[in-house]
Amino acid sequence: MVSESTEIFKITEKAKSLEENGDYIQAIELLSDANNKLPRKMPILYLLSLFHLKSNRYYDAMKYANQFLELARISDDTGNIAKAYYIIAETERNLEHYDEAIKYYKLGQKNDFISYLFPLGFAKCYIKLQKYEDALTNYKKAMSSVGDEAIEAELRYTIRDLEERIPKLNEIAKHKEKAQYNLNRCKYEAGKAEYQKLFELIPDNYEIKNDYDILPTGISSDVCTVDKFKFAAYK
């Protein structure tokens, strides 16, 4: 008779093989069936959370990662606690919840000070939050502990590129803040009857994406009227 641990090993190895061949759906189905048959087994829950994350199924990734984390805490398994927090953090980052992601990366790092994945995660979040110096610091931390020549080379290129671009990126961030202020002021002034026509020219879903975005700036001038409404590009 096959032991439970042997059965779990065979299932997880088969699931890994399917995932390596790009068949996430079949791998997840195999693991889901196993989870119904053998509930609350950490190797199964870990792969379920990881594969759901890789296939962009974030709700399920979070669900299984939290179940995995619960069992890891019960057994005081710091390695698996770190893995669970990492998957939760990656899920939050992919959902563009960057501050939440940073919180979970930090919790994971408390249980795993070696892995380069945590400072790499910090760096990716800080880039999105326009905290470029913090991103650079964490890219360097990641490179110092990566232990893989290919990844190290990629990080070295990223660091060099970011060092060259930081002055420009900081300048862009400064202009974005000014541009967003002007846009918000336009929308505020639109509440006044004389600005209704002006407001109609601003798309509801308008976003400032880069330093070349065209932004309505007329409201920022005290002498502006609808007739004098102008567009300008921050550069």
Side-chain angles (χ1 to χ4, degrees), residues 1 19 27 32 34 45 49 55 57 73 80 107 111 151 178 202 212 221-222:
M1 183 177 178
E19 183 268 339
S32 296
L45 290 172
S49 61
S55 57
R57 299 178 178 184
R73 281 173 168 169
N80 279 328
L107 289 170
N111 294 277
I151 298 175
K178 184 177 179 181
I202 306 172
Y212 296 105
S221 170
D222 292 336

PDB file of all heavy atoms in Angstrom, residues 1 19 27 32 34 45 49 55 57 73 80 107 111 151 178 202 212 221-222:
ATOM      1  N   MET A   1       0.850  -1.199   0.000  1.00  0.00           N
ATOM      2  CA  MET A   1       0.000   0.000   0.000  1.00  0.00           C
ATOM      3  C   MET A   1       0.887   1.251   0.000  1.00  0.00           C
ATOM      4  O   MET A   1       1.841   1.353   0.771  1.00  0.00           O
ATOM      5  CB  MET A   1      -0.919   0.015   1.238  1.00  0.00           C
ATOM      6  CG  MET A   1      -1.881   1.193   1.258  1.00  0.00           C
ATOM      7  SD  MET A   1      -2.982   1.108   2.699  1.00  0.00           S
ATOM      8  CE  MET A   1      -3.912   2.595   2.467  1.00  0.00           C
ATOM      9  N   GLU A  19       3.324  21.745 -15.185  1.00  0.00           N
ATOM     10  CA  GLU A  19       3.555  23.197 -15.159  1.00  0.00           C
ATOM     11  C   GLU A  19       4.760  23.583 -15.998  1.00  0.00           C
ATOM     12  O   GLU A  19       4.747  24.588 -16.713  1.00  0.00           O
ATOM     13  CB  GLU A  19       3.732  23.643 -13.704  1.00  0.00           C
ATOM     14  CG  GLU A  19       3.899  25.143 -13.527  1.00  0.00           C
ATOM     15  CD  GLU A  19       5.353  25.573 -13.533  1.00  0.00           C
ATOM     16  OE1 GLU A  19       6.231  24.719 -13.277  1.00  0.00           O
ATOM     17  OE2 GLU A  19       5.616  26.759 -13.816  1.00  0.00           O
ATOM     18  N   ALA A  27      -2.404  20.947 -14.441  1.00  0.00           N
ATOM     19  CA  ALA A  27      -1.675  20.857 -13.172  1.00  0.00           C
ATOM     20  C   ALA A  27      -2.565  21.280 -12.009  1.00  0.00           C
ATOM     21  O   ALA A  27      -2.602  20.618 -10.957  1.00  0.00           O
ATOM     22  CB  ALA A  27      -0.431  21.728 -13.223  1.00  0.00           C
ATOM     23  N   SER A  32      -6.070  20.195  -7.415  1.00  0.00           N
ATOM     24  CA  SER A  32      -7.381  20.434  -6.790  1.00  0.00           C
ATOM     25  C   SER A  32      -8.035  19.117  -6.398  1.00  0.00           C
ATOM     26  O   SER A  32      -8.614  18.990  -5.306  1.00  0.00           O
ATOM     27  CB  SER A  32      -8.289  21.205  -7.754  1.00  0.00           C
ATOM     28  OG  SER A  32      -7.770  22.489  -8.021  1.00  0.00           O
ATOM     29  N   ALA A  34      -6.430  16.393  -5.734  1.00  0.00           N
ATOM     30  CA  ALA A  34      -5.633  15.877  -4.617  1.00  0.00           C
ATOM     31  C   ALA A  34      -5.991  16.588  -3.317  1.00  0.00           C
ATOM     32  O   ALA A  34      -6.048  15.973  -2.250  1.00  0.00           O
ATOM     33  CB  ALA A  34      -4.145  16.050  -4.922  1.00  0.00           C
ATOM     34  N   LEU A  45      -1.017  22.582  -1.185  1.00  0.00           N
ATOM     35  CA  LEU A  45      -1.498  23.957  -1.083  1.00  0.00           C
ATOM     36  C   LEU A  45      -0.478  24.946  -1.631  1.00  0.00           C
ATOM     37  O   LEU A  45      -0.847  25.945  -2.270  1.00  0.00           O
ATOM     38  CB  LEU A  45      -1.823  24.290   0.382  1.00  0.00           C
ATOM     39  CG  LEU A  45      -3.041  23.580   0.969  1.00  0.00           C
ATOM     40  CD1 LEU A  45      -3.137  23.845   2.467  1.00  0.00           C
ATOM     41  CD2 LEU A  45      -4.321  24.031   0.269  1.00  0.00           C
ATOM     42  N   SER A  49      -1.329  27.454  -4.773  1.00  0.00           N
ATOM     43  CA  SER A  49      -1.213  28.915  -4.688  1.00  0.00           C
ATOM     44  C   SER A  49      -0.238  29.439  -5.733  1.00  0.00           C
ATOM     45  O   SER A  49      -0.509  30.442  -6.400  1.00  0.00           O
ATOM     46  CB  SER A  49      -0.770  29.340  -3.282  1.00  0.00           C
ATOM     47  OG  SER A  49       0.498  28.797  -2.955  1.00  0.00           O
ATOM     48  N   SER A  55      -0.757  31.686 -13.281  1.00  0.00           N
ATOM     49  CA  SER A  55      -1.796  31.725 -14.324  1.00  0.00           C
ATOM     50  C   SER A  55      -2.749  32.906 -14.139  1.00  0.00           C
ATOM     51  O   SER A  55      -3.838  32.939 -14.716  1.00  0.00           O
ATOM     52  CB  SER A  55      -2.582  30.408 -14.342  1.00  0.00           C
ATOM     53  OG  SER A  55      -3.152  30.132 -13.079  1.00  0.00           O
ATOM     54  N   ARG A  57      -4.606  33.897 -11.695  1.00  0.00           N
ATOM     55  CA  ARG A  57      -5.853  33.675 -10.959  1.00  0.00           C
ATOM     56  C   ARG A  57      -5.619  34.117  -9.515  1.00  0.00           C
ATOM     57  O   ARG A  57      -5.394  33.311  -8.615  1.00  0.00           O
ATOM     58  CB  ARG A  57      -6.248  32.193 -11.021  1.00  0.00           C
ATOM     59  CG  ARG A  57      -6.497  31.692 -12.446  1.00  0.00           C
ATOM     60  CD  ARG A  57      -6.825  30.217 -12.458  1.00  0.00           C
ATOM     61  NE  ARG A  57      -7.115  29.728 -13.800  1.00  0.00           N
ATOM     62  CZ  ARG A  57      -7.497  28.479 -14.066  1.00  0.00           C
ATOM     63  NH1 ARG A  57      -7.631  27.596 -13.090  1.00  0.00           N
ATOM     64  NH2 ARG A  57      -7.745  28.114 -15.319  1.00  0.00           N
ATOM     65  N   ARG A  73       2.428  28.194   9.882  1.00  0.00           N
ATOM     66  CA  ARG A  73       2.518  28.813  11.207  1.00  0.00           C
ATOM     67  C   ARG A  73       2.310  27.785  12.313  1.00  0.00           C
ATOM     68  O   ARG A  73       3.005  27.813  13.334  1.00  0.00           O
ATOM     69  CB  ARG A  73       1.466  29.917  11.333  1.00  0.00           C
ATOM     70  CG  ARG A  73       1.844  31.231  10.661  1.00  0.00           C
ATOM     71  CD  ARG A  73       0.664  32.175  10.708  1.00  0.00           C
ATOM     72  NE  ARG A  73       1.010  33.531  10.346  1.00  0.00           N
ATOM     73  CZ  ARG A  73       0.114  34.480  10.118  1.00  0.00           C
ATOM     74  NH1 ARG A  73      -1.196  34.199  10.212  1.00  0.00           N
ATOM     75  NH2 ARG A  73       0.491  35.701   9.787  1.00  0.00           N
ATOM     76  N   ASN A  80       8.521  27.683   4.930  1.00  0.00           N
ATOM     77  CA  ASN A  80       7.221  27.716   4.262  1.00  0.00           C
ATOM     78  C   ASN A  80       6.432  28.990   4.596  1.00  0.00           C
ATOM     79  O   ASN A  80       5.637  29.458   3.773  1.00  0.00           O
ATOM     80  CB  ASN A  80       6.410  26.473   4.618  1.00  0.00           C
ATOM     81  CG  ASN A  80       6.825  25.266   3.792  1.00  0.00           C
ATOM     82  OD1 ASN A  80       7.224  25.404   2.636  1.00  0.00           O
ATOM     83  ND2 ASN A  80       6.754  24.079   4.378  1.00  0.00           N
ATOM     84  N   LEU A 107       7.148  40.787   5.796  1.00  0.00           N
ATOM     85  CA  LEU A 107       6.820  39.663   6.676  1.00  0.00           C
ATOM     86  C   LEU A 107       7.527  38.392   6.222  1.00  0.00           C
ATOM     87  O   LEU A 107       8.006  37.601   7.040  1.00  0.00           O
ATOM     88  CB  LEU A 107       5.300  39.451   6.698  1.00  0.00           C
ATOM     89  CG  LEU A 107       4.487  40.527   7.435  1.00  0.00           C
ATOM     90  CD1 LEU A 107       3.000  40.344   7.173  1.00  0.00           C
ATOM     91  CD2 LEU A 107       4.781  40.472   8.930  1.00  0.00           C
ATOM     92  N   ASN A 111      11.390  35.808   7.812  1.00  0.00           N
ATOM     93  CA  ASN A 111      11.568  34.360   7.930  1.00  0.00           C
ATOM     94  C   ASN A 111      12.587  33.811   6.932  1.00  0.00           C
ATOM     95  O   ASN A 111      12.871  32.611   6.934  1.00  0.00           O
ATOM     96  CB  ASN A 111      10.229  33.654   7.720  1.00  0.00           C
ATOM     97  CG  ASN A 111       9.232  33.974   8.816  1.00  0.00           C
ATOM     98  OD1 ASN A 111       9.246  33.362   9.865  1.00  0.00           O
ATOM     99  ND2 ASN A 111       8.369  34.965   8.568  1.00  0.00           N
ATOM    100  N   ILE A 151      20.641  35.625 -13.879  1.00  0.00           N
ATOM    101  CA  ILE A 151      19.812  36.618 -13.186  1.00  0.00           C
ATOM    102  C   ILE A 151      20.673  37.777 -12.709  1.00  0.00           C
ATOM    103  O   ILE A 151      20.278  38.941 -12.779  1.00  0.00           O
ATOM    104  CB  ILE A 151      19.071  35.971 -11.999  1.00  0.00           C
ATOM    105  CG1 ILE A 151      18.128  34.863 -12.495  1.00  0.00           C
ATOM    106  CG2 ILE A 151      18.279  37.025 -11.219  1.00  0.00           C
ATOM    107  CD1 ILE A 151      17.447  34.091 -11.393  1.00  0.00           C
ATOM    108  N   LYS A 178       2.728  68.148 -10.705  1.00  0.00           N
ATOM    109  CA  LYS A 178       2.222  69.458 -11.127  1.00  0.00           C
ATOM    110  C   LYS A 178       1.077  69.292 -12.122  1.00  0.00           C
ATOM    111  O   LYS A 178       0.061  69.996 -12.056  1.00  0.00           O
ATOM    112  CB  LYS A 178       3.357  70.263 -11.757  1.00  0.00           C
ATOM    113  CG  LYS A 178       2.954  71.682 -12.138  1.00  0.00           C
ATOM    114  CD  LYS A 178       4.147  72.446 -12.680  1.00  0.00           C
ATOM    115  CE  LYS A 178       3.753  73.865 -13.088  1.00  0.00           C
ATOM    116  NZ  LYS A 178       4.904  74.616 -13.644  1.00  0.00           N
ATOM    117  N   ILE A 202     -12.194  67.177 -21.029  1.00  0.00           N
ATOM    118  CA  ILE A 202     -11.308  66.304 -20.252  1.00  0.00           C
ATOM    119  C   ILE A 202     -11.941  64.924 -20.155  1.00  0.00           C
ATOM    120  O   ILE A 202     -13.012  64.760 -19.567  1.00  0.00           O
ATOM    121  CB  ILE A 202     -11.092  66.857 -18.831  1.00  0.00           C
ATOM    122  CG1 ILE A 202     -10.609  68.301 -18.897  1.00  0.00           C
ATOM    123  CG2 ILE A 202     -10.107  65.979 -18.070  1.00  0.00           C
ATOM    124  CD1 ILE A 202     -10.548  68.978 -17.548  1.00  0.00           C
ATOM    125  N   TYR A 212       5.294  63.399 -21.525  1.00  0.00           N
ATOM    126  CA  TYR A 212       4.856  64.015 -22.769  1.00  0.00           C
ATOM    127  C   TYR A 212       3.338  64.067 -22.892  1.00  0.00           C
ATOM    128  O   TYR A 212       2.807  64.448 -23.925  1.00  0.00           O
ATOM    129  CB  TYR A 212       5.442  63.261 -23.972  1.00  0.00           C
ATOM    130  CG  TYR A 212       6.940  63.357 -24.019  1.00  0.00           C
ATOM    131  CD1 TYR A 212       7.727  62.268 -23.665  1.00  0.00           C
ATOM    132  CD2 TYR A 212       7.570  64.532 -24.395  1.00  0.00           C
ATOM    133  CE1 TYR A 212       9.112  62.358 -23.691  1.00  0.00           C
ATOM    134  CE2 TYR A 212       8.947  64.630 -24.431  1.00  0.00           C
ATOM    135  CZ  TYR A 212       9.727  63.544 -24.078  1.00  0.00           C
ATOM    136  OH  TYR A 212      11.079  63.629 -24.110  1.00  0.00           O
ATOM    137  N   SER A 221      -4.205  79.497 -14.772  1.00  0.00           N
ATOM    138  CA  SER A 221      -3.974  80.921 -14.986  1.00  0.00           C
ATOM    139  C   SER A 221      -5.192  81.724 -14.535  1.00  0.00           C
ATOM    140  O   SER A 221      -6.328  81.366 -14.824  1.00  0.00           O
ATOM    141  CB  SER A 221      -3.700  81.191 -16.468  1.00  0.00           C
ATOM    142  OG  SER A 221      -3.697  82.577 -16.716  1.00  0.00           O
ATOM    143  N   ASP A 222      -4.954  82.800 -13.822  1.00  0.00           N
ATOM    144  CA  ASP A 222      -6.055  83.632 -13.329  1.00  0.00           C
ATOM    145  C   ASP A 222      -6.816  84.316 -14.463  1.00  0.00           C
ATOM    146  O   ASP A 222      -7.954  84.718 -14.304  1.00  0.00           O
ATOM    147  CB  ASP A 222      -5.517  84.700 -12.370  1.00  0.00           C
ATOM    148  CG  ASP A 222      -4.995  84.089 -11.095  1.00  0.00           C
ATOM    149  OD1 ASP A 222      -5.445  82.977 -10.747  1.00  0.00           O
ATOM    150  OD2 ASP A 222      -4.137  84.717 -10.449  1.00  0.00           O
TER     151      ASP A 222
END
